[in-house]
Structures are given as C-alpha cells and as structure tokens.
C-alpha cells in the first residue's frame, strides 16, 4: 500500500494529504461507475411471451368490435324526429313543444307558466322563460304564431304614429289653453333630446342622459329594441315605453370603417368588447381586409346573433 501511495504521489505530484484522499476517492468512483451495470445484468429477467400477449390482445379487439356493432352504434346515433311547424305557445301542449326540438324541462316550464295564468302576447315573450336561449329563439321565431309587437291600443295612437311616420319629426305640442303635454305622443329616439325623454313616465334625468350617451356611442339607433341595451332599462319599463318610440325608416346609423379604423375607434363602440377588438385587429394583420359581415364568423369571440346586431354599424370597404 505504501508503495502504491508513493507511485501515485510521484506520478501526480500530490502532497501526502492529497494522496490519501485520492486513495479513498478512486475506489468510490469505481463502485459508482460499474456496480449498477453488474447489478442489472445479474437481476434482469428476459421476457419471451410476446406471441401469447398478441393473441390475447387480438381476441379482446374482436370482442370489442362485436359489442360495438350490436349496441354502441345505436346509442351513439339516436334517432330524432324534430320537425319545425307553426305553433301557438299559449295553446301548444308538451308533446307539440318537444316535437319542435324543445327539451322536456323547458317545455314543462312553458306549460306551467300558461297553466298558472300567464300568457305570451308577442313572440319575444318566450325569451322570458328561464332556459329559452337566444339561439333556440332565432330558429323558432318564424314559426311562432304571435305578433312581433303589440298593436296600439287606441285609434288616436295609430293615427299619431302614421302621421309621424309619413312626415318630418315634429316638436311636442301642448294642448291649447293648457301647459300639459298631450296624453300620448311618439318619439323618434334618434332625434329626441334628454328633455324630450323625460316627458315619458318612468324616464328621469338619469335614464334620459344614459339613452342620449348610449346613442352617441352607438352611432344612432337602428331599431327600437336597442333601447333595452341602455344600462338600467328593465324589460318591464321597456314594455311601457315601447309604444312611444319610433325609428325613422330612412335613418342610417354612423358606420365604422372596420378595415381602416384604429383600435381605439373600434373599441369605443358599445357592441364590441376589448377582447373582440384585439381579435379584429389581429385578423386584419394576418388575413387582410374584412369584405363582408360573414368574415366576422371566422372570429371565435363573435356569434351569429352578435354579427347581425353589429352589421348596420360596419362598413366593409
């Protein structure tokens, strides 16, 4: 051992302490390098049953295929018998509603609502039923045997409406000898100011200012129903106000040139969120110009209802 130490010390030029450390470290290195390999060779078990395993797997595959043909296919592809027909929701029974593609729970809710004394007066009343989605309403709306909106309750109202539709918007008139406004009047919601809106019952300074501000951001109202998009306008309040509102058929809302507009200009529109603006700008940089509203359907953040709602406010040039 002393001779070996002397050889190591002379060969490497180690000190006495370094030589002692090398003599301890060298065997440890040998153990770490070679012992694991020896251990694997001694304990390794050779597996030679591949053929039997293959036969067993083939039999399992054949059994699975047989079960799929006899049972699984029928469960995966159920038979359906949906057929769209005209229906009156106040009179239709549960079976008739389910035949239209309405699920059983939603059909039960509609029946319970009618049996409790409720009634659907216009088509959009169906959307008040919990679980009646906008997409389902869009499919069934042409087949609902109800009016789109309520008719005016008085001949006087109808005459006033027709007169307003065929003429330029007129300021409010007061009865002779009285300071009060006429009992009924109609408003062009694109022409009325905040003071005009406050003459309607249920509309105060807060709501009137919100309507005017929303109209400015929107670029004008395309349809009366958009009043419901104003923050705070409930469905019950809208039902009261709807008969007083009108949009001139010749009115054209302000449009955003979607292919030229900046991020800030697009994001300022109340119908377009920040995430949707980012996706529009990214799509323009990747794919080029938007040529029609159908191009918006390529964006994941827009559904068909949003596209229809937004189309009057976009210019695709």
């Amino acid at each position: 051992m002393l001779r070996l130490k002397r050889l190591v010390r002379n060969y490497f030029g180690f000190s006495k302490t370094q030589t002692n450390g090398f003599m301890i470290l060298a065997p440890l290195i040998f153990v770490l390098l070679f012992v694991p390999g020896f251990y694997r060779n001694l304990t390794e078990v050779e597996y030679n049953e591949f053929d039997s395993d293959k036969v067993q797997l083939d039999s399992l595959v054949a059994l699975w295929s047989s079960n799929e043909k006899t049972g699984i296919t029928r469960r995966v592809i159920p038979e359906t018998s949906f057929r769209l027909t005209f229906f009156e929701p106040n009179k239709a029974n549960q079976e008739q509603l389910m035949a239209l593609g309405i699920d059983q729970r939603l059909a039960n809710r509609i029946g319970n609502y009618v049996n409790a004394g409720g009634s659907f007066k216009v088509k959009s009343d169906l959307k008040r039923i919990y679980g009646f989605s906008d997409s389902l309403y869009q499919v069934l709306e042409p087949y609902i045997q109800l009016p789109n909106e309520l008719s005016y309750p008085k001949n006087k109202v109808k005459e006033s409406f027709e007169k307003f539709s065929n003429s330029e918007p007129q300021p409010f008139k007061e009865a002779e000898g009285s300071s009060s406004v006429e009992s009924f009047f109609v408003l062009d919601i694109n022409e009325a100011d905040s003071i005009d809106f406050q003459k309607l019952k249920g509309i105060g300074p807060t709501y009137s200012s919100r309507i005017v501000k929303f109209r400015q951001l929107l670029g004008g109202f395309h349809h009366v129903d958009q009043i419901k998009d104003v923050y705070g306008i409930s469905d019950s309040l809208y039902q009261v106000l709807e008969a007083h509102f009108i949009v001139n058929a010749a009115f054209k809302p302000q449009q955003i040139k979607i292919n030229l507009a900046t991020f800030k200009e697009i994001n300022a529109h109340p119908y377009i969120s920040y995430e949707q603006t980012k996706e529009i700008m990214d799509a323009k940089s990747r794919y080029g110009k938007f040529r029609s509203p159908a191009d918006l359907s390529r964006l994941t953040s827009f559904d068909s209802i949003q596209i229809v709602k937004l189309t009057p406010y976009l210019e695709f040039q």
Side-chain angles (χ1 to χ4, degrees):
M1 179 64 70
L2 293 175
R3 185 177 180 182
L4 180 61
K5 287 184 178 180
R6 189 179 300 110
L7 289 174
V8 171
R9 184 175 180 180
N10 294 333
Y11 184 81
F12 293 104
F14 288 162
S15 64
K16 183 178 181 179
T17 303
Q18 290 172 334
T19 303
N20 292 334
F22 177 83
M23 297 302 293
I24 296 173
L25 185 61
L28 291 177
I29 294 174
F30 177 82
V31 171
L32 293 175
L33 289 176
F34 297 102
V35 169
F38 291 141
Y39 179 79
R40 282 196 301 270
N41 291 330
L42 291 174
T43 59
E44 185 176 10
V45 177
E46 186 175 358
Y47 190 80
N48 296 316
E49 298 182 4
F50 297 106
D51 293 338
S52 62
D53 289 346
K54 183 177 183 303
V55 172
Q56 186 175 4
L57 286 173
D58 290 341
S59 64
L60 291 174
V61 170
L63 180 62
W64 179 83
S65 300
S66 176
N67 291 335
E68 183 184 36
K69 291 180 180 179
T70 57
I72 296 178
T73 302
R74 287 195 295 270
R75 291 194 296 270
V76 173
I77 309 176
E79 295 183 359
T80 58
S81 59
F82 297 152
R83 187 168 63 91
L84 295 177
T85 58
F86 292 98
F87 70 102
E88 214 280 44
N90 293 304
K91 300 178 181 179
N93 56 36
Q94 180 177 331
E95 290 74 16
Q96 292 172 329
L97 294 174
M98 292 177 63
L100 295 166
I102 300 174
D103 64 66
Q104 183 176 3
R105 289 179 295 179
L106 184 56
N108 283 334
R109 292 192 193 109
I110 295 173
N112 293 336
Y113 175 77
V114 174
N115 293 335
S119 64
F120 302 102
K121 296 180 180 179
V122 294
K123 293 181 179 182
S124 59
D125 286 347
L126 272 172
K127 293 193 290 185
R128 297 207 300 261
I129 299 298
Y130 176 75
F132 205 106
S133 64
D134 288 338
S135 57
L136 178 61
Y137 176 79
Q138 292 292 327
V139 174
L140 297 180
E141 189 267 341
Y143 301 92
I144 303 173
Q145 292 182 314
L146 289 173
N148 290 322
E149 56 185 22
L150 294 175
S151 59
Y152 292 101
K154 298 179 182 180
N155 291 334
K156 180 179 178 180
V157 175
K158 184 176 181 180
E159 292 173 0
S160 177
F161 178 83
E162 292 176 347
K163 181 179 178 181
F164 186 87
S165 300
N166 298 322
S167 63
E168 295 294 327
Q170 300 294 328
F172 299 113
K173 297 180 179 180
E174 296 184 355
E176 295 182 1
S178 173
S179 60
S180 62
V181 181
E182 288 182 345
S183 58
F184 189 90
F185 54 86
V186 291
L187 282 175
D188 185 335
I189 56 177
N190 287 312
E191 298 291 338
D193 58 23
S194 60
I195 301 300
D196 296 332
F197 284 115
Q198 291 180 47
K199 294 179 180 179
L200 294 170
K201 185 178 180 180
I203 298 292
T206 301
Y207 281 161
S208 63
S209 62
R210 286 179 186 173
I211 293 172
V212 173
K213 184 177 180 180
F214 183 77
R215 182 179 66 193
Q216 293 172 347
L217 293 173
L218 194 63
F221 292 104
H222 177 67
H223 194 277
V224 171
D225 285 350
Q226 292 175 283
I227 288 289
K228 292 188 291 186
D229 295 333
V230 177
Y231 177 74
I233 300 294
S234 62
D235 288 340
S236 57
L237 177 58
Y238 174 75
Q239 293 295 329
V240 174
L241 299 174
E242 182 182 13
H244 296 274
F245 291 153
I246 187 176
V247 171
N248 194 321
F251 176 77
K252 299 295 182 184
Q254 296 178 6
Q255 293 182 318
I256 299 173
K257 295 182 179 180
I258 189 171
N259 293 312
L260 301 176
T262 64
F263 186 99
K264 184 177 181 181
E265 290 171 337
I266 296 175
N267 189 48
H269 198 279
Y271 286 164
I272 305 177
S273 67
Y274 180 82
E275 290 73 17
Q276 289 173 330
T277 306
K278 287 174 60 179
E279 192 172 13
I280 289 173
M281 300 301 291
D282 182 62
K284 287 197 296 183
S285 63
R286 288 189 179 188
Y287 310 113
K289 293 182 178 180
F290 290 90
R291 302 189 181 278
S292 69
D295 290 343
L296 289 172
S297 62
R298 297 182 303 180
L299 307 183
T300 59
S301 59
F302 287 90
D303 57 34
S304 58
I305 297 175
Q306 286 179 302
I307 294 173
V308 171
K309 194 174 184 179
L310 189 58
T311 296
Y313 298 97
L314 298 179
E315 181 180 330
F316 298 87
Q317 290 184 355

